[in-house]
Amino acid sequence: MTLPDLPAARRRLDSALDDLTVVFRGMTAHPDEYNCDCHWGSAEELARLKVADLELDLDLLHRTWQAPDWTDKAAVLRRILPQLASTLVTGRVAETYSDMETIGRAFAFGAWREWPAGQSAAVEEFLGAWWSHTLTDPDPVVPAHDVLVLVTEATGMVRPWLDAWEAHRFPAADAHLAAAADHWDHDLLGDRLPWSAWENEEELCADLTAWLVRHASDRLRDSGAPEDLLHRIRLLGVTGPDRWDDPHWPDYFYWRLRQEP
């Protein structure tokens, strides 16, 4: 088996981070931007968002991407994007705030795909480079299942990221798949998405489940995953009573969606 080129993946990610810094240099929140000083922060902190390239402390950065009520969400996201991306990659966000879906929504709310071509391309390349590096790295600072949540919420799609995972046929990516499947199966066997999606939750759940059924079993078996995990993934392809009456149905509680007569 050909091993992945981790240094090349890291160089791609570093280049994407550098590009974000260049593309979004000088960006500020709108001069008239406002947020409640009782719930968001002080006037002094708001003023920092209107100064270009001024580094924010982690708490202010968190409150900024978390707030859903900016008047010009795109401008606020552009202002914080280089620092946010760097903080995500180093794991400093995950250490303090593990709500990956909310960070992903901050990207989506900023409507980054509608930005000028150079800006949207820089964001797309960052997301792709970070995902590829995560799959390639045997010990990423942010687990693959968490990164997948963020990039899915940022783009509103899970299939392209799963396609990339399918293309990464390396031991590290297989190990991440085993960890993710073990993390997700409790929800998926209850026909629930393992995170709170902003929209299209049923579609995302169906796509993720179908991909695991099609692609996960062989890779998990080849990588030495436990037999009980293989059975749990197999059961994702079984529906109704055949699922929960299966002899390998886990003995801990799952939601049973049996329709009462």
Side-chain angles (χ1 to χ4, degrees), residues 222-238:
D222 291 345
S223 63
E227 193 70 20
D228 69 310
L229 178 58
L230 294 174
H231 280 297
R232 280 179 271 151
I233 296 304
R234 176 184 60 81
L235 286 170
L236 291 176
V238 180

Side-chain angles (χ1 to χ4, degrees), residues 185-191 232 235-236 243 249-250 254-255:
D185 74 283
H186 190 287
D187 288 296
L188 291 177
L189 280 172
D191 297 318
R232 280 179 271 151
L235 286 170
L236 291 176
R243 176 184 288 180
W249 176 258
Y254 283 112
W255 298 274

Side-chain angles (χ1 to χ4, degrees), residues 24-38:
F24 295 101
R25 180 173 293 137
M27 299 291 178
T28 67
H30 191 279
D32 296 329
E33 188 62 79
Y34 171 79
N35 213 311
C36 175
D37 55 6
C38 296

Side-chain angles (χ1 to χ4, degrees), residues 7 11 68-69 72 74 85 110 142 152 156 166 198 202 211 215 220 236:
R11 287 193 297 271
D69 51 353
D72 191 336
V142 182
T152 297
E166 174 60 19
W198 176 249
E202 290 186 4
W211 184 81
H215 299 294
L220 294 177
L236 291 176

Side-chain angles (χ1 to χ4, degrees), residues 170-201:
F170 305 117
D174 290 347
H176 301 328
L177 178 57
D182 189 55
H183 184 77
W184 290 331
D185 74 283
H186 190 287
D187 288 296
L188 291 177
L189 280 172
D191 297 318
R192 295 169 58 113
L193 189 68
W195 67 89
S196 178
W198 176 249
E199 57 185 4
N200 301 325
E201 188 160 321

